[in-house]
Amino acid sequence: DEPYKIVAEFRKRRDIIVDGLNRIPGIRCAMPKGAFYVFPNIEETGLTSREFADRLLDEAGVAGLAGESFGQYGKGYVRFSFANSAENIEKALDRIDSFVAKVKTS
């Protein structure tokens, strides 16, 4: 029973982050099929992946990895882990939303 509980919890966390990212204007996130990561597209924010990841950490305290770290096809994407509590994921989503809103108005 315990492994099924763990899988269900990670599925819940995955759904929270994917749904939350897709509600943020300028971000599109496909549903991952494995691992503990999402790889949303952030091109509509007007920032490069590296700018987005660096500024998000500096200005909002949320860590993400620039898609360029994964090669040329990662440009325009950022990787986030959802191996954290649902509560912390929700907090991160709020910070990402505020950050993107600020970026799009500046």
Side-chain angles (χ1 to χ4, degrees), residues 46-72:
L47 299 176
T48 68
S49 300
R50 180 93 41 226
E51 290 170 327
F52 188 96
D54 289 348
R55 287 185 58 190
L56 183 64
L57 181 60
D58 291 342
E59 297 174 30
V62 177
L65 188 59
E68 286 102 332
S69 301
F70 301 97
Q72 71 181 24

Side-chain angles (χ1 to χ4, degrees), residues 64-85:
L65 188 59
E68 286 102 332
S69 301
F70 301 97
Q72 71 181 24
Y73 297 110
K75 289 181 180 179
Y77 292 83
V78 176
R79 186 177 85 164
F80 295 113
S81 171
F82 56 89
N84 209 312
S85 69

Side-chain angles (χ1 to χ4, degrees), residues 12-39:
K12 175 181 141 188
R13 294 173 190 181
R14 179 203 64 196
D15 293 348
I16 290 170
I17 197 165
V18 170
D19 293 344
L21 288 169
N22 282 322
R23 282 194 299 269
I24 299 171
I27 297 182
R28 292 176 287 121
C29 187
M31 185 67 71
K33 298 191 192 283
F36 313 113
Y37 305 101
V38 292
F39 206 54

